[in-house]
């Protein structure tokens, strides 16, 4: 397990660390074993990972190395914007996957499940491509924030309602390279 060193120059901006890199890696090792066993029970020996970029790049890079099975890797980009004067966010497909997933077993990997709008859009797009199965794995789940009924099949950590950065998650495009996950100072 590669545990990354502290990053004092960046961590100084944090009010608190929610998850250390060591806690994340320990959990990913468990998740990797759980997911490998899940597919093995179903006699599936190759899955297609759909990484929702950019936020889940770090998560996917680490998690996939805990899978003892073959994977194909693709990515999808979803952009969200505020529509008109309403507070509702409307996710748009900004870049689709390029692999053919017809009759393939797909595992969607995202950094965080918040209101649920983003993953609902992802599942809608993938569902139209006739895959054999689609499962969802998220590193973080803010259950109390859900606006649409969607849940992940595999969850790394349930976290309270706070805006978090690090381990792929950004604020204004920064902090993605932070090895831990934390809450910014105001
Ligand atoms: P949802 O559509 O479920 O509300 O939002 C999911 C997306 O919103 C995530 O993929 C992520 O890009 C962003 N997001 C939600 N909560 C947070 C957070 O606490 N921190 C960061 N950096 N992004 C978040
Ligand atoms: Mg995202």
């Amino acid at each position: 397990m590669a545990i990354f060193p502290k990053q004092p120059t960046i961590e100084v901006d944090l009010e608190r660390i929610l998850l250390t890199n060591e806690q994340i890696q320990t959990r990913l090792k468990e998740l990797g074993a759980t997911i490998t066993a899940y597919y093995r029970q179903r006699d599936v020996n190759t899955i297609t990972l759909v990484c929702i970029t950019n936020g889940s790049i770090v998560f996917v890079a680490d998690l996939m190395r805990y899978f003892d099975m073959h994977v194909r890797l693709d990515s999808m980009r979803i952009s969200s914007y505020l529509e008109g004067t309403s507070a509702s966010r409307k996710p748009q497909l900004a870049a689709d996957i390029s692999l053919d997933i017809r009759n393939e077993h797909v595992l969607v990997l995202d950094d965080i499940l918040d209101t649920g709008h983003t993953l609902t859009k992802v599942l809608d797009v993938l569902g139209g491509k006739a895959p054999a199965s689609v499962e969802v794995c998220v590193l973080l789940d803010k259950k109390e924030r859900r606006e649409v009924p969607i849940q992940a099949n595999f969850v790394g950590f349930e976290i309270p309602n706070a805006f978090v950065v690090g381990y792929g998650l950004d604020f204004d495009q920064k902090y993605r390279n932070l090895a831990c996950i934390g809450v910014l100072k105001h």
Side-chain angles (χ1 to χ4, degrees), residues 96-111:
D96 203 349
I97 57 169
S98 54
L99 291 177
D100 184 3
I101 58 164
R102 176 173 290 272
N103 298 324
E104 298 289 338
H105 294 273
V106 173
L107 179 64
V108 177
L109 297 167
D110 204 1
D111 50 6

Side-chain angles (χ1 to χ4, degrees), residues 106-168:
V106 173
L107 179 64
V108 177
L109 297 167
D110 204 1
D111 50 6
I112 185 164
L113 182 47
D114 188 26
T115 64
H117 291 292
T118 302
L119 278 173
T120 301
K121 178 69 182 175
V122 169
L123 294 182
D124 186 48
V125 172
L126 294 174
K129 298 175 189 287
S133 69
V134 181
E135 313 293 339
V136 175
C137 175
V138 294
L139 177 63
L140 307 173
D141 188 357
K142 285 194 219 170
K143 268 212 166 110
E144 57 189 283
R145 290 259 308 158
R146 209 76 89 249
E147 290 174 8
V148 285
I150 181 171
Q151 56 187 42
N153 304 86
F154 308 98
V155 174
F157 301 93
E158 281 187 24
I159 61 163
N161 179 16
F163 187 84
V164 295
V165 297
Y167 202 72

